[in-house]
């Protein structure tokens, strides 16, 4: 079993301890560059993935045990530090509207259509919503929450939109399989019904 308390040194030919590795991982994630995948951490640290995964698990447990303000979560196939759930509301009040822009109901509806039915074209989003969605699609692309396949657009076919890794990160999802129930995600009961019908007919 790997040593937890010793600090070790790769330069001395020793594998660093799990504790030291976890501290380094915490520092990397604190940079706020977005989720970092396990293999990327292992490559950067020049350590075995199994050892790095053990250090990640150790860090996650320590953050909870010490009741730190952050928690380690798995999102978008990588790891990131997020505010502890009990602090999210109070810390959210510190952010101004400009710092933490929210999505309108229309944008959330369009995002839901893309998230649950992707890949989907702009015209399909508009048809399902029953209103032109050009503006909200542009907004979602600008926010980095969805992206279009430009190659299809150039070949004369409609651009098909899908969600991005940033979407998973912002909504705290490890993968699309963790998407919440439609009723929890979409404000309109009518849109929920339309989406459910569209999914069943696929």
């Amino acid at each position: 079993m790997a040593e937890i308390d010793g600090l070790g040194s790769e330069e001395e030919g020793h594998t660093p301890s799990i504790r030291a590795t976890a501290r380094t991982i915490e520092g990397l994630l604190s940079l706020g560059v977005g989720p970092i995948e396990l293999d990327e951490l292992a490559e950067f640290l020049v350590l075995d993935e199994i050892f790095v995964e053990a250090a990640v698990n150790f860090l996650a447990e320590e953050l909870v045990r010490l009741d730190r303000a952050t928690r380690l979560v798995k999102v978008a196939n990588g790891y990131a530090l997020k505010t502890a759930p009990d602090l999210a509301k109070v810390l959210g009040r510190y952010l101004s509207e400009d710092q933490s822009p929210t999505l309108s109901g229309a944008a959330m509806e369009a995002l839901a259509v893309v998230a649950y039915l992707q890949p989907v074209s702009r015209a399909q989003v508009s048809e399902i919503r029953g209103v032109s969605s050009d503006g909200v699609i542009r907004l979602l692309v600008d926010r980095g929450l969805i992206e279009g396949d430009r190659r299809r657009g150039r070949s004369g076919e409609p651009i098909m939109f899908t969600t991005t890794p940033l979407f998973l990160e912002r909504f705290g999802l490890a993968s699309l399989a963790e998407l919440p129930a439609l009723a929890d995600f979409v404000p309109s009961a009518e849109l929920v019904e339309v989406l459910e019908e569209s999914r069943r007919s696929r």
Side-chain angles (χ1 to χ4, degrees):
M1 180 178 290
E3 175 63 39
I4 289 182
D5 293 317
L7 293 180
S9 170
E10 287 183 277
E11 294 180 357
E12 296 172 0
H14 301 296
T15 299
S17 70
I18 284 182
R19 183 182 297 277
T21 303
R23 185 169 183 266
T24 302
I25 292 172
E26 183 179 8
L28 287 170
L29 299 180
S30 296
L31 296 175
V33 295
I36 304 179
E37 297 185 15
L38 180 63
D39 59 350
E40 187 178 352
L41 286 170
E43 181 179 359
F44 177 78
L45 297 170
V46 196
L47 292 169
D48 183 79
E49 280 191 24
I50 295 178
F51 182 85
V52 173
E53 186 173 23
V56 165
N57 293 334
F58 175 79
L59 173 59
E61 293 169 2
E62 282 292 276
L63 292 174
V64 173
R65 185 180 71 82
L66 299 174
D67 198 23
R68 298 282 292 273
T70 56
R71 296 289 185 267
L72 189 147
V73 295
K74 189 169 185 180
V75 292
N77 297 318
Y79 297 97
L81 294 177
K82 295 292 184 182
T83 303
D86 61 306
L87 293 178
K89 187 174 182 179
V90 64
L91 295 183
R93 293 205 307 266
Y94 177 77
L95 297 176
S96 69
E97 235 177 71
D98 290 337
Q99 291 172 310
S100 183
T102 57
L103 293 175
S104 66
M108 284 294 289
E109 285 186 352
L111 181 57
V113 174
V114 175
Y116 286 95
L117 299 182
Q118 59 187 301
V120 63
S121 70
R122 191 189 313 262
Q124 289 171 323
V125 175
S126 296
E127 181 180 1
I128 290 172
R129 295 187 59 235
V131 63
S132 174
S133 300
D134 290 357
V136 289
I137 289 292
R138 281 196 299 272
L139 172 67
L140 295 173
V141 170
D142 289 343
R143 294 279 181 88
L145 297 173
I146 66 173
E147 61 186 356
D149 187 344
R150 295 291 176 185
R151 292 170 299 178
R152 297 193 64 169
R154 284 199 298 269
S155 66
E157 298 179 23
I159 296 175
M160 304 300 284
F161 292 92
T162 58
T163 53
T164 65
L166 180 61
F167 165 81
L168 295 175
E169 180 185 351
R170 290 290 170 84
F171 285 85
L173 305 173
S175 70
L176 292 174
E178 293 187 357
L179 279 171
L182 283 171
D184 297 334
F185 191 68
V186 188
S188 166
E190 292 78 9
L191 183 58
V192 170
E193 185 177 348
V194 172
L195 281 174
E196 288 286 13
E197 181 60 34
S198 297
R199 295 177 76 189
R200 285 194 294 268
S201 63
R202 283 198 155 199

